[in-house]
């Protein structure tokens, strides 16, 4: 097991900055998720930790060793990739066993370690099959078992669920969560899927354009986003963000007013989540015609347009209304977030 530290780590290709001044301490046995859109630097950060990419500057520590310049094989980490990377000519058993052979682990230990790893991911009945005879979910479990059998200091997982369908993603996600609880091995997990981040992580690092936007628990990031990027990236649907002005403690935008805000006069962006507001028959602080209605099964998502922004609210699952019909939405003061109109940074209320 190992603590992992990154100190002012940068990666540049000429004038292009892939990762900019990244510093973070990852605790022993922590499950940390690097989250962000494509091109934000999350995979590059993981590849630098693994030794597959050389950092331009900064220090990377695994345990008490600075590993800059150290070969990947000497860093005592296991990786699980988006592509399964299985050997098609080998059985499931031999694919799982392969890291033990490469690292010259005594043969007497192989069978017990392979069987233990296979049991953890429920592959016992499939050990004699070859990858071509497996489903996508089963292949991903083989890749997980191959990483487990190493018994490394840390796991690095790069979008391991991206090739699976929605149902398999849910079940494999639960398996990864249970594995981490059982193994208690430091894990760094890269994803663009905020649901994976929220359900798996002890802490989430939200990245954009090579820079860290916010680090915190899933609850902290969801409840108190540091800026409009985090607010718009976390949540399904994303937080409603409405441009407007504050004058005398009242936020105003076309079709919306919120009073009693303790904030300075001027342009701001107001945010609230769809589940924190409600449709009302009278006295709402949003009044606008219905733009769209979506049935979600457990709720109905109703959207309106306010100041050019699409704003969604969750209504009861049996709620029905025609597109174009007038709608009133109540947004309590207690659920409102304010962000600086120019920088996007959170404004304390």
């Amino acid at each position: 097991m190992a603590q992992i530290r990154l100190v002012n780590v940068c990666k540049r290709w000429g004038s292009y900055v892939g990762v900019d001044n990244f510093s973070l301490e990852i605790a022993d046995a922590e499950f940390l998720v690097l989250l962000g859109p494509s091109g934000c630097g999350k995979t590059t950060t993981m590849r630098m930790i693994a030794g597959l990419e050389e950092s331009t500057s900064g220090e990377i520590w695994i345990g008490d060793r600075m590993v800059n310049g150290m070969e990947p094989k000497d860093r005592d980490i296991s990786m699980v990739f988006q592509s399964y990377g299985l050997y098609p000519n080998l059985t499931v058993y031999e694919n799982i066993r392969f890291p033990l052979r490469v690292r010259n682990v005594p043969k007497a230990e192989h069978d017990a370690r392979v069987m233990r790893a296979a049991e953890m991911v429920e592959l016992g009945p499939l050990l004699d099959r070859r990858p071509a005879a497996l489903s996508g979910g089963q292949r991903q479990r083989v890749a997980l078992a191959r990483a487990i059998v190493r018994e490394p200091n840390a796991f690095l997982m790069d979008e391991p669920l991206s090739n699976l369908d929605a149902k398999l993603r849910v079940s494999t996600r639960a398996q990864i969560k249970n594995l981490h609880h059982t193994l208690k091995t430091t894990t760094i997990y890269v994803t663009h899927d905020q649901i994976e981040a929220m359900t798996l992580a002890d802490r989430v690092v939200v990245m954009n354009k090579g820079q860290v936007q916010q680090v915190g628990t899933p609850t902290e990031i969801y409840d108190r986003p540091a800026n409009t990027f985090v607010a718009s990236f976390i949540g399904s649907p994303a937080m409603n963000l409405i441009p407007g002005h504050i004058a005398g403690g009242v936020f105003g935008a076309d079709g919306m007013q919120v009073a009693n805000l303790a904030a300075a006069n001027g342009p701001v962006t107001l945010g609230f989540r769809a589940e924190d507001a409600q449709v009302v028959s009278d006295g709402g602080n949003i009044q606008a015609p219905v733009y769209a209605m979506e049935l979600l099964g457990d709720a109905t998502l109703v959207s309106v347009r306010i100041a050019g922004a699409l704003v969604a609210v969750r209504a009861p699952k049996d709620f029905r209304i025609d597109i174009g019909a007038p709608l009133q939405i109540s947004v309590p003061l207690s659920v409102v977030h304010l962000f600086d109109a120019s920088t996007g940074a959170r404004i304390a209320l």
Side-chain angles (χ1 to χ4, degrees):
M1 310 301 174
Q3 180 193 57
I4 297 174
R5 285 191 298 128
L6 290 85
V7 184
N8 305 125
V9 172
C10 297
K11 179 64 181 179
R12 295 185 180 87
W13 293 273
S15 61
Y16 179 77
V17 180
V19 177
D20 188 14
N21 200 34
F22 190 115
S23 292
L24 186 69
E25 287 195 10
I26 304 159
D28 183 25
E30 182 176 15
F31 197 117
L32 183 98
V33 172
L34 301 177
L35 174 68
S38 296
C40 73
K42 57 190 186 295
T43 295
T44 300
T45 301
M46 173 175 281
R47 288 175 63 85
M48 288 190 289
I49 295 169
L52 302 175
E53 201 81 62
E54 188 177 344
S55 61
T56 306
S57 60
E59 299 176 358
I60 300 171
W61 293 76
I62 300 178
D64 58 0
R65 300 184 302 167
M66 190 172 78
V67 298
N68 296 57
M70 191 179 288
E71 290 292 318
K73 65 183 177 63
D74 299 324
R75 299 191 183 200
D76 197 16
I77 50 96
S78 278
M79 289 199 72
V80 180
F81 297 96
Q82 180 178 348
S83 58
Y84 314 122
L86 305 181
Y87 298 101
N89 59 316
L90 299 181
T91 63
V92 169
Y93 183 97
E94 290 298 334
N95 265 285
I96 297 171
R97 182 188 176 203
F98 190 80
L100 304 179
R101 294 172 57 191
V102 169
R103 297 178 70 83
N104 297 316
V105 173
K107 285 186 178 179
E109 298 180 22
H110 288 199
D111 192 61
R113 287 174 65 169
V114 170
M115 295 306 292
R116 177 174 176 266
E119 293 264 327
M120 284 186 173
V121 293
E122 301 173 15
L123 285 172
L126 307 177
L127 291 174
D128 293 331
R129 295 191 189 179
R130 285 183 165 77
L134 303 177
S135 68
Q138 289 166 339
R139 292 180 196 181
Q140 192 56 276
R141 283 189 278 152
V142 177
L144 283 169
R146 188 176 56 189
I148 291 165
V149 80
R150 279 270 323 274
E151 298 177 2
N153 270 333
F155 291 124
L156 306 183
M157 300 188 183
D158 189 7
E159 306 223 26
L161 308 185
S162 292
N163 290 339
L164 304 183
D165 63 36
K167 185 177 179 182
L168 273 175
R169 277 202 300 272
V170 172
S171 59
T172 310
R173 200 167 66 215
Q175 208 154 35
I176 290 172
K177 185 81 171 178
N178 185 266
L179 279 172
H180 180 258
H181 175 77
T182 302
L183 297 170
K184 294 180 171 56
T185 301
T186 307
T187 302
I188 302 174
Y189 186 105
V190 162
T191 185
H192 64 273
D193 186 326
Q194 52 97 12
I195 294 176
E196 285 179 25
M198 297 293 286
T199 54
L200 289 171
D202 295 322
R203 281 191 304 158
V204 179
V205 178
V206 184
M207 298 182 68
N208 189 37
K209 297 179 180 177
Q211 295 185 326
V212 173
Q213 302 295 308
Q214 187 172 2
V215 181
T217 66
T219 300
E220 289 168 349
I221 285 175
Y222 189 84
D223 289 345
R224 295 185 60 79
N227 53 42
T228 50
F229 174 81
V230 177
S232 64
F233 200 79
I234 298 289
S236 182
M239 182 180 286
N240 297 307
L241 296 171
I242 304 156
H245 280 75
I246 289 182
V250 178
F251 172 86
D254 184 22
M256 180 177 187
Q257 274 198 343
V258 179
N260 301 318
L261 288 166
N265 291 347
V268 297
T269 300
L270 182 143
F272 67 93
R273 296 206 177 273
E275 65 271 23
D276 291 335
Q278 59 182 343
V279 173
V280 293
S281 57
D282 193 29
N285 40 16
I286 291 178
Q287 300 182 31
V290 173
Y291 181 82
M293 186 182 72
E294 301 168 74
L295 307 180
L296 305 179
D298 63 334
T300 300
L301 198 67
V302 187
S303 300
V304 298
R305 276 202 174 276
I306 298 292
L310 199 60
V311 173
V313 58
R314 280 185 185 268
K317 63 182 181 180
D318 58 353
F319 180 81
R320 298 291 183 270
I321 192 168
D322 293 330
I323 291 177
L327 186 75
Q328 294 200 41
I329 299 170
S330 174
V331 183
L333 184 63
S334 60
V335 305
V336 163
H337 306 257
L338 289 184
F339 303 94
D340 187 282
S342 56
T343 67
R346 181 182 188 83
I347 298 171
L349 287 175

